Amino acid sequence: MAGRFVKTNKGLNVINPYNGNIAGRTFWAGIEELEEAIQAALAARRPMQSLSSYQRYEILMHIKTRLQQRHSEFADLIMQESGKPIRYASGEVDRSVQTITVAAEESKRTPREYISLDWTKAGERKEGLVRYFPVGVVAGIAPFNFPLNLAVHKLAPAIAAGCPVILKPSSSTPLSMLLLAEIIAETNLPAGAVSVLPMDRETGNLLVTDERIALLSFTGSPEVGWKMKAAAGKKKVVLELGGNAGVVITPSADIESALTKCLSGAFSYSGQVCIHTQRIFVHKDIFNVFASRFAEMTSQLISGEPASLQTDVSCMIDEANAQRVEKWVNDAKAEGARVLAGGKRTGTFYAPTILTNTNHSMQVCSDEIFGPVVTLEPYEDFDEAIALLNNTRFGLQAGIFTNNMDEMNRAFESIVAGGIIMNDVPTFRVDHMPYGGVKDSGIGREGVKYAMLDMLEPRILVKSF
Amino acid sequence: MAGRFVKTNKGLNVINPYNGNIAGRTFWAGIEELEEAIQAALAARRPMQSLSSYQRYEILMHIKTRLQQRHSEFADLIMQESGKPIRYASGEVDRSVQTITVAAEESKRTPREYISLDWTKAGERKEGLVRYFPVGVVAGIAPFNFPLNLAVHKLAPAIAAGCPVILKPSSSTPLSMLLLAEIIAETNLPAGAVSVLPMDRETGNLLVTDERIALLSFTGSPEVGWKMKAAAGKKKVVLELGGNAGVVITPSADIESALTKCLSGAFSYSGQVCIHTQRIFVHKDIFNVFASRFAEMTSQLISGEPASLQTDVSCMIDEANAQRVEKWVNDAKAEGARVLAGGKRTGTFYAPTILTNTNHSMQVCSDEIFGPVVTLEPYEDFDEAIALLNNTRFGLQAGIFTNNMDEMNRAFESIVAGGIIMNDVPTFRVDHMPYGGVKDSGIGREGVKYAMLDMLEPRILVKSF
Amino acid sequence: MAGRFVKTNKGLNVINPYNGNIAGRTFWAGIEELEEAIQAALAARRPMQSLSSYQRYEILMHIKTRLQQRHSEFADLIMQESGKPIRYASGEVDRSVQTITVAAEESKRTPREYISLDWTKAGERKEGLVRYFPVGVVAGIAPFNFPLNLAVHKLAPAIAAGCPVILKPSSSTPLSMLLLAEIIAETNLPAGAVSVLPMDRETGNLLVTDERIALLSFTGSPEVGWKMKAAAGKKKVVLELGGNAGVVITPSADIESALTKCLSGAFSYSGQVCIHTQRIFVHKDIFNVFASRFAEMTSQLISGEPASLQTDVSCMIDEANAQRVEKWVNDAKAEGARVLAGGKRTGTFYAPTILTNTNHSMQVCSDEIFGPVVTLEPYEDFDEAIALLNNTRFGLQAGIFTNNMDEMNRAFESIVAGGIIMNDVPTFRVDHMPYGGVKDSGIGREGVKYAMLDMLEPRILVKSF
Amino acid sequence: MAGRFVKTNKGLNVINPYNGNIAGRTFWAGIEELEEAIQAALAARRPMQSLSSYQRYEILMHIKTRLQQRHSEFADLIMQESGKPIRYASGEVDRSVQTITVAAEESKRTPREYISLDWTKAGERKEGLVRYFPVGVVAGIAPFNFPLNLAVHKLAPAIAAGCPVILKPSSSTPLSMLLLAEIIAETNLPAGAVSVLPMDRETGNLLVTDERIALLSFTGSPEVGWKMKAAAGKKKVVLELGGNAGVVITPSADIESALTKCLSGAFSYSGQVCIHTQRIFVHKDIFNVFASRFAEMTSQLISGEPASLQTDVSCMIDEANAQRVEKWVNDAKAEGARVLAGGKRTGTFYAPTILTNTNHSMQVCSDEIFGPVVTLEPYEDFDEAIALLNNTRFGLQAGIFTNNMDEMNRAFESIVAGGIIMNDVPTFRVDHMPYGGVKDSGIGREGVKYAMLDMLEPRILVKSF
């Protein structure tokens, strides 16, 4: 917190969801700690604003370099706190390194505009300089599923933009971010620039309501997110919520590539991914082939302990979530859905599951399942496929497998979502691309440069020339 | 409404505030009319999105050309509904022409990005196209003080961005916008693309709460604005609120130019301007000279009937506002303020007034007076002047008269406001510049291109190359 | 010249190539007139630089409006001086109107940069403002084939950029530009800002060698262009030269659309177009169908007098050119080429001609024919088609008819040309797009904004902040 | 060469100009070696173009990291080959590190445009993607004065842009670049991507005339540069030539700061710097004070062996240059110039020299002296100062010391030079800023991103949407 590690009188044991062991111990921050962090952050605003580009760059590059050096330590910690297979945990560290690198580079490239104002006589011999100033204190609330990288997507842009940041990690998975806080403490950032505070929901909610916070950036569930917006007062709000992303496989696609990518999109980290591939629509002419191959490949996925490099899928974050998924699948079956693979729960583990014969009234279709379940349905023609994709209150990302230019154009024109991914699953994301949802999937964009835009506000200097 | 003029069973008489005559008659829109307008707007979304650049351009240029042709008719109407002196009313029409022209040009230049995604191996041979799509239906709520141009600042960018728009003009001054609606009806815009609906506050509030509206753009008072944000649900919100803008006169300034500009900034349209010059800080070495010259010039302002080309100041929008101003001034006097000029009310007319010996605890300093009153105070050094300027909950624009480069730099670095105007009053605005406040003065920016940004949302197409 | 019309002692009769009548009379400018124009242009540099954005905008919009008003007069003059069918002449006027409109808009949007310089300690608290200043006097040399629009592509950007311009139209077709000069003389442009001077080649060459000219912009033949570059001294040089543009028709294309567009690309204005479609490559599976349909459509083209709205093709610019085309075709026939349509000359008229069984050693393939002749050849696979397209010393534009995304990607990656046009002929151009060639087809880009970039040079102001 | 080190039969001994010792031995490349390098470069074009952003980034970051690791080795080598004092040599290595870092970052940010084409009906439902492709083989010719960084300013952008590059270092100072070539050989760049070839002038001139080279980038003297442009054929040419940069000291300036900066601008590396401060104009009211303080400070400069950290100035690159400077100074004295400091030669060493009472007809004023000589003259008013600054055939950079906003504005508007530096000497440069001259000082801009622009050419893909 604000550059130093603070113990409170309320311990927090972080449980490894795979084996139930304690992954690590830390402390809950209470209202007092939060108040102290806010005060420190407010005091850090001006010093943060005054940092030169090269200072922000060097601070971020230091964090990046040290994260690279301690790569395996971080990967291990992510695996332990989240139960994520080590291959994916390691990949998450790589991505965090990249997110920080991009932030370092963008800290030198904050937007600036130099505009002529003499478009009418009133502006004769006047011009404007537009500089983008940090908005003030940023509050970040991050989810459990990418304990490091999704928090870094708030923290790194904030540093790059010159905003102090108070970060609330998921209380299930706070350890990797607290380790990163150690590294951050090695830098020359002003005290108060960064605080990482595990908090219960009630305390964390003060970040939403406190008027001294200038921006709230939340990644999590739609229900929670939209309530926060209503309670946020004058502050800006960015919401990165979930969805029930769909993908369309057309006859002109490379089917083998589509199968491999759908497998990963549907089941990696047990589908606990905002852009998890939840709904697959396959052209009727290739549906049967696709379905049988996909079921076969799904059944061959290796499930087991996260620490093994062979493991494809492991446990979910907790048994309650596994039970929720179980219930949704059972409900769907009761309404006529057919199981092509999986469909079974063992404790916190839910088997990679393919359903077909589903419809939009089932929760497995219409809500965000956030589990290793995918629906697979045939369609007649491309327009119908687009309509099926769009038949949802969400709009995060969508995937289209095709080699047909017309279909690409119609997809871009018609799919209401933040990202349309050609020949890949909606689960595709690289860390510098604009990322975020429309409709109930959120408001605002992340992707370092795009996240920074919300953390900056323009001021124009009007001068003569 | 939605392309045709609708009579309702509830007439609305618009009163000329100068002479109490009826400036015009129209109708209140009720809940049913609003619902119809919303339905029509929703239906217009796809046709609006599909308009080519050249079609949007031609539609806006038609509106512009026709507005130019009927220039004097519009100026007269503005004068009648608002009591604004004809010189200023005519200037407002000119500015509206410019706002629409810029929107026409910007309709061809909506933002688009083409980005490489191969910054890591995960994005190898991938690239992204980012197109900015219209967000959906825009609701605009406009104030009485610039009945035409501040409404056009919502309407023209909406058309340029491809968003249907429902506009609620001030019920005191709806006539000029209704006349513009006649011109709009001549174009090829889809039915439902534009509706101009005079509504009472209760009905108008449905624009705030209705979830089918994608963006609310409000120009008006801070109190109303911030409440709207809390009630706005999932929609985006842009608030252009007021302030108590200040200006600093330093010894290196051109004093004659400063005097002339302050006079206009303080008193044009009786200070009923969002960026009205409310607080003037003059370096102590030149304070006395400035104060006596300023009082003298103020007393020479010609007040009278708006229709005269000689008239500098006329009535306020209604007597209630004139009485409010009277009370604030009297309160200030009671607390020690001294009147250098003006200080008198006659019906709806309040005389251009200069106060000195004021302090921040007086409402004439700390709140938005929205009347022809300005405070004039000396300062010791530039840092103090900046501190005085910043000592407010508002942050719209500020002015600095100086020829000193250091002072310019310090002003830009330190003044917390959306615009810092060198050698001019904070009242300076040209219609394509980014315009909007920080702190309690609002959220978001207008200025055509900037207004359009909020009316558009990015979607990325990720493809191979 | 420099704002007034000058008679010299050397008359110039402009001949209508269709009927040999005199289309109009004007005067040759000699060395003395040119010197006077250069002096006036040099004197106009500072006043031109000082014009406000709105002044440049208004000047260009005046020219645009007046050109629209006198549309048919201009179309008729173009038809008379060039023999271009009236439909195309009229279209050229439309395009000139658009070119000027875009220039008007871009005059308000000249590039400016505002950059942070504190990327290292050496630049601490420094920032840079980059303004783009007019380079100085621009010399434009324009061809006969689009007497108005290709000259306007030099003149309008020059005015928008603030550069005085001396324009040498083709001596075959100077009349429409001289008429435009009349309109320009109505504006507030400084004397010397624009001179339109018909000159013989020797005199015109002084524009190339004179060191007081800052930029030479030439549209014409490659042979002449590259020699100019060598003789141009210190000045910047933009060359818009020709090519032998090719198009590929793949099996996934819409064949009817391809046929219609190829017909227009190959034969409009008798192929006297820089981006004339000269080489058509059709996949072997559809070659026969395409060839017979194309020959049939070609034979149905209506040739005749330019003044008729029905006329598709008319005469060439002079008999020498028609004879040159005749010789190239006959040479090709002698080497084995087969004539599918046309192949006959009548005076200045050369019939729309399709050749097949050609090869790259024939001049009809390897050189720019600048006449109504097209070669039609089959190919085996897409890679071969690309190789055929690229087998040329030119690189202006290319067309690809396909609905296959992979082929689009490979085309963009592999075709060495300034423009790759999907599902249209290489002859496609809109006036604001970046346009220009690589390899022997030229250097630099036109397209208003792009042309302006070469007419501007950046100066950075480094200052503290 | 092309990834490996080649010995030829013609040895090249590099002499340390300070002590006449051999600084290192290498080999002259002859026509055969050059031909081999060109062939290899041509073959490397397509593989270079195909490198992903992350590959270019990693290659450049490897070079950067290794250069940092071997920092002192490079600094020592620069000192030995050029006689540059070690403090400055070390600073040059730092700057090269920065130049390469910026190139690494910019390799991910090459320009791309995504534009709407439907501004008229002809472009309906069409849009354009503009990608910037590498132009082909780049030839770089670098000078002796910054043996590493000025060569890196050609090499690093070329790698970032994807162009193979053949670099001719100065034959006086090739060693540091050859050492860098060793580091480059450690990367995955295709063979032929980079060749560093010491050549005599005759051989090197083939880089100018060979039509297989796409771009010539030359840094050196104006006489040589402009001749190269004339001989360059079809290729693009960038010339970074010299100047006789001036600086103006106004009464509102911070004089102590001005003195310190002028001292460094005038005498660092014995004035052998393209943006050497050659002409100082001081307002008459402060001239005497400035002159006496400046002479005093100049006389206190420590001259001596480059290896000492205390050394401010050392020898020139060779005795011929020292003699040339001696002659120019003596000529000036003969015409009336007065020596305020220095004015003496000892072998290759020329003492830091201040002249006054000079005029523009003297070579010390009008030509580029490229030695430790500065003229110091009084002026009456600011307009005269600007006129004096501009009275030259050069236009590289200029400096203005003032705290007056008007003067800043007039300077930017009126000074004809590539850079106007406020409150610093014209010698100021950071490596990512646009840098380059107007008038006889050159054509084109460097500054990594700006250098890359010339190494790239746009191709537009026109497609439907």
Side-chain angles (χ1 to χ4, degrees), chain C residues 53-64:
Chain C
S53 296
Y54 76 92
Q55 292 170 314
R56 295 179 200 181
Y57 176 82
E58 283 171 7
I59 287 163
L60 285 158
M61 288 304 269
H62 175 87
I63 299 171
K64 172 222 145 154

Side-chain angles (χ1 to χ4, degrees), chain B residues 109-130:
Chain B
R109 293 172 173 84
T110 49
R112 280 154 191 268
E113 299 168 58
Y114 179 24
I115 55 184
S116 65
L117 296 179
D118 59 351
W119 293 18
T120 57
K121 202 162 173 37
E124 195 150 32
R125 299 201 66 71
K126 300 223 188 214
E127 60 185 13
L129 302 184
V130 186

